[in-house]
């Protein structure tokens, strides 16, 4: 057990929907700033934003206090990724490593592009379909350098340490060997997933080749350093909310009561009856459009 839990506010697939994180004491925390980057030696925490096979584009709300997970919005409409043949939704559990930040003020030496202003992304390739807001422990295997509209957007490849096959995966070459075609599908998915929205294909550094575990860990460590500068106000966050409850050296640290007040001002917790919209046809229409 991770000791973390989540709480939904408002109904899924609405503009008001939020997923807040709680610690083992039931206190509200930030999944961006308060979940430790490391779960154990050589093991990282991952915040699951999007369960595998789903379409709703959920993400940590970096500019909202306590950074809850919410559905991305564009031009006032909730965003969904299209089903790109032959794929259904996201083809991995998708999320982020906490306490990392891709600095938009830093030009990456590998890509020549600045960071995308978000925590570093993770594609978890295990067999379990995880839940939105779940905190899992992952073993890093490699990384892909995507360039999204001129910004560096690293994609870490990892596997849940509790996966039955986790012991068989030690580096990116094991993914090639044990899941043939999965890495090629990953590149194809990331290259084309914005095309249905009228955008060009994404590009990649290193000729779209995956780098190994050691390279990936070095990149993650560098984004952790950028996060440290962000949360201690040594760099300009450009609108990012650094409100947290655990980072002692951060001027943005608040007490649990202040964090609770943020959540209490929002719609009440979601009951089981609102786990899906009542108008199912409307939901499918949203998925399609």
């Amino acid at each position: 057990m991770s000791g973390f839990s989540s709480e939904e506010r408002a109904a899924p697939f609405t503009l008001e929907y939020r997923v807040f994180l709680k610690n083992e004491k039931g206190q509200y925390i930030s999944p961006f700033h308060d979940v430790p980057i490391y779960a154990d030696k050589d093991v990282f925490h991952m915040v699951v934003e999007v369960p595998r096979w789903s379409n709703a584009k959920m993400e940590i709300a970096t500019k909202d206090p306590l950074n809850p997970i919410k559905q991305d919005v564009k031009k006032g409409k909730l965003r969904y990724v299209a089903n790109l043949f032959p794929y259904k939704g996201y083809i991995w559990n998708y999320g982020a490593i906490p306490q990392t930040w891709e600095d938009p003020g830093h030009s990456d030496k590998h890509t020549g592009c600045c960071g995308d202003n978000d925590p570093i992304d993770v594609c978890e390739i295990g067999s379990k379909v995880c839940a939105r807001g779940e905190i899992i422990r992952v073993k890093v295997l490699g990384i892909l350098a995507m360039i999204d509209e001129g910004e560096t957007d690293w994609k870490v490849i990892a596997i849940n340490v509790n996966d039955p096959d986790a012991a068989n995966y030690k580096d990116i070459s094991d993914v090639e060997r044990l899941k043939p075609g999965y890495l090629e599908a990953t590149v194809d998915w990331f290259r084309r997933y914005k095309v249905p929205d009228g955008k060009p294909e994404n590009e990649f550094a290193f000729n779209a080749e995956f780098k190994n575990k050691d390279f990936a860990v070095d990149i993650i460590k560098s984004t952790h350093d950028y996060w440290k500068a962000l949360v201690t106000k040594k760099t300009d966050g450009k609108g990012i909310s650094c409100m947290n409850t655990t980072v002692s050296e951060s001027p943005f640290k608040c007490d649990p009561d202040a964090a609770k007040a943020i959540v209490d001002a929002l719609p009440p917790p979601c009951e089981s009856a609102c786990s899906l919209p009542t108008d199912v046809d409307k939901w499918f229409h949203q998925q399609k459009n």
Side-chain angles (χ1 to χ4, degrees), residues 153-193:
D153 192 1
W154 292 103
K155 305 298 182 185
V156 175
I157 305 299
I159 189 167
N160 192 331
V161 296
N162 292 326
D163 189 90
D165 293 328
N168 296 323
Y169 291 85
K170 297 178 175 61
D171 213 319
I172 198 69
S173 58
D174 295 316
V175 183
E176 297 170 347
R177 178 173 57 88
L178 297 172
K179 290 182 180 286
Y182 202 4
L183 296 181
E184 290 83 354
T186 295
V187 171
D188 184 46
W189 194 96
F190 278 121
R191 190 187 303 279
R192 297 193 292 125
Y193 83 101

Side-chain angles (χ1 to χ4, degrees), residues 69-284:
I69 295 171
K70 69 177 183 180
Q71 190 165 355
D72 192 22
V73 176
K74 184 176 181 181
K75 296 181 179 179
K77 293 186 177 181
L78 297 168
R79 290 187 66 189
Y80 297 86
V81 299
N83 291 323
L84 291 171
F85 182 82
Y87 316 118
K88 167 64 178 76
Y90 288 75
I91 61 174
W92 347 256
N93 294 301
Y94 191 68
I97 295 179
Q99 297 188 339
T100 63
W101 180 53
E102 296 196 55
D103 185 355
H106 170 77
S107 180
D108 188 278
K109 66 180 180 180
H110 303 291
T111 66
C113 299
C114 294
D116 70 348
N117 206 28
D118 285 321
I120 198 166
D121 296 322
V122 190
C123 303
E124 193 280 318
I125 66 170
S127 56
K128 175 188 174 184
V129 176
C130 295
R132 186 183 309 127
E134 187 175 354
I135 307 298
I136 62 174
R137 299 158 65 236
V138 299
K139 181 194 302 187
V140 168
L141 303 172
I143 198 166
L144 176 68
M146 190 175 90
I147 300 173
D148 185 352
E149 298 184 36
E151 296 178 332
T152 300
D153 192 1
W154 292 103
K155 305 298 182 185
V156 175
I157 305 299
I159 189 167
N160 192 331
V161 296
N162 292 326
D163 189 90
D165 293 328
N168 296 323
Y169 291 85
K170 297 178 175 61
D171 213 319
I172 198 69
S173 58
D174 295 316
V175 183
E176 297 170 347
R177 178 173 57 88
L178 297 172
K179 290 182 180 286
Y182 202 4
L183 296 181
E184 290 83 354
T186 295
V187 171
D188 184 46
W189 194 96
F190 278 121
R191 190 187 303 279
R192 297 193 292 125
Y193 83 101
K194 287 188 175 182
V195 172
D197 295 328
K199 294 190 175 182
E201 292 185 347
N202 284 319
E203 299 176 341
F204 303 89
F206 306 114
N207 197 31
E209 294 177 1
F210 288 82
K211 307 302 283 186
N212 66 16
K213 173 183 177 178
D214 290 342
F215 187 100
V217 170
D218 285 344
I219 294 295
I220 295 168
K221 287 179 177 178
S222 70
T223 61
H224 181 54
D225 290 338
Y226 297 134
W227 169 83
K228 286 180 182 177
L230 171 71
V231 81
T232 55
K233 210 175 181 179
K234 293 178 181 176
T235 190
D236 182 7
K238 301 185 186 305
I240 285 182
S241 174
C242 293
M243 184 180 188
N244 69 86
T245 64
T246 60
V247 186
S248 58
E249 63 271 29
S250 171
F252 305 103
K253 183 183 177 184
C254 70
D255 60 40
D257 288 339
K260 184 175 184 296
I262 294 290
V263 184
D264 286 347
L266 298 172
C270 183
E271 302 294 337
S272 59
C274 73
S275 60
L276 279 174
T278 54
D279 188 344
V280 177
D281 288 337
K282 178 181 178 182
W283 178 67
F284 277 106

Side-chain angles (χ1 to χ4, degrees), residues 40-60:
D40 205 342
K41 183 178 177 5
D42 298 325
V43 177
F44 293 86
H45 277 124
M46 171 184 172
V47 181
V48 177
E49 298 166 314
V50 185
R52 182 188 286 111
W53 312 135
S54 63
N55 296 74
K57 192 176 187 302
M58 300 283 180
E59 60 186 16
I60 291 171

